[in-house]
Amino acid sequence: MFSSQYFADDKQYYAMRLLCRPLLYRWFAYKAGPIKNTKAFSFPKSLQEHEKTLFFMPEDKKIAKVILDELPKESFKSILFIAHGDLEILLQKKKANASYYTDKGCRYGESIFEKLESQIKAFEPLACVYIGPYKPQFLYLALVSGASLRVGFDCVREYPFLNISLHTLKTISPARMMARYFTKDNGE
């Protein structure tokens, strides 16, 4: 039996390991259930007003550091970060609220994954930020979070998991660009 990066090593998920990416997405969308868009949102106003936000951190430490350095301090009170365990020290320095996963524990069906799912649902975010790279099991978590605003970069193919797709710019990194959406402009 070979290992899967999306599913736990369990007999019930053996057949899922053979699915292509579009079928994986359909399966995760089916498992998430119907989309619950009961709350209204305004982008980027929802982020600027520090609504409850779920933030999936990229695993690259340099990118994560840029995001954390650029985010305004007051936004840390309303953000739940989902991050790899390697980023724990970085997030603790910023006194950020975070839930961590491991490489093996981030697969659907693992106990750590189920714990993440229950924490996310209990948090009840209005917004969800997912910079990428896009993994089906984390897109599933974004959808089941119940967040009305689910934003990512160049993620048109990830709909309905993410419902706002921003385009990357050559002059600014996606990490800096996203972090700046949390800051109100001085002209307002």
Side-chain angles (χ1 to χ4, degrees):
M1 189 142 85
F2 57 92
S3 185
S4 168
Q5 60 180 334
Y6 308 120
F7 297 98
D9 293 330
D10 195 352
K11 290 178 186 177
Q12 66 179 351
Y13 301 118
Y14 180 75
M16 302 304 196
R17 298 163 197 223
L18 305 173
L19 296 177
C20 62
R21 196 165 194 88
L23 290 176
L24 273 173
Y25 275 33
R26 276 194 232 148
W27 185 86
F28 276 110
Y30 170 77
K31 289 300 279 183
I35 300 170
K36 304 166 198 139
N37 285 336
T38 56
K39 301 174 190 171
F41 68 87
S42 175
F43 179 79
K45 191 176 179 183
S46 294
L47 299 178
Q48 292 169 348
E49 291 180 354
H50 308 296
E51 301 282 351
K52 281 185 167 181
T53 304
L54 180 65
F55 202 117
F56 288 89
M57 290 296 283
E59 292 179 10
D60 186 326
K61 287 182 183 179
K62 290 179 184 177
I63 296 172
K65 184 168 179 8
V66 168
I67 292 169
L68 293 173
D69 289 343
E70 293 276 331
L71 282 172
K73 288 182 181 179
E74 61 271 8
S75 67
F76 285 103
K77 297 173 188 169
S78 61
I79 297 176
L80 172 63
F81 292 96
I82 304 299
H84 192 277
D86 292 345
L87 301 175
E88 187 171 359
I89 294 171
L90 196 61
L91 287 159
Q92 284 179 347
K93 284 182 182 176
K94 294 288 186 173
K95 297 179 182 169
N97 183 19
S99 291
Y100 303 100
Y101 61 88
T102 61
D103 289 329
K104 197 168 186 170
C106 73
R107 301 178 307 170
Y108 187 89
E110 296 285 348
S111 61
I112 294 173
F113 187 86
E114 290 170 0
K115 181 181 171 188
L116 277 177
E117 184 177 354
S118 65
Q119 288 174 337
I120 289 169
K121 287 179 179 178
F123 185 66
E124 296 179 338
L126 176 69
C128 176
V129 176
Y130 193 142
I131 293 181
Y134 302 112
K135 298 179 180 179
Q137 69 273 34
F138 289 130
L139 290 170
Y140 163 81
L141 289 175
L143 187 58
V144 300
S145 71
S148 299
L149 165 62
R150 299 178 306 278
V151 62
F153 283 92
D154 298 317
C155 60
V156 173
R157 292 183 177 171
E158 278 71 26
Y159 182 83
F161 300 102
L162 303 175
N163 59 2
I164 292 185
S165 179
L166 303 175
H167 296 289
T168 54
L169 302 173
K170 292 180 181 178
T171 57
I172 187 171
S173 72
R176 278 203 166 90
M177 188 174 164
M178 185 52 70
R180 290 184 181 170
Y181 278 118
F182 283 84
T183 308
K184 289 186 181 182
D185 293 336
N186 295 333
E188 289 183 359

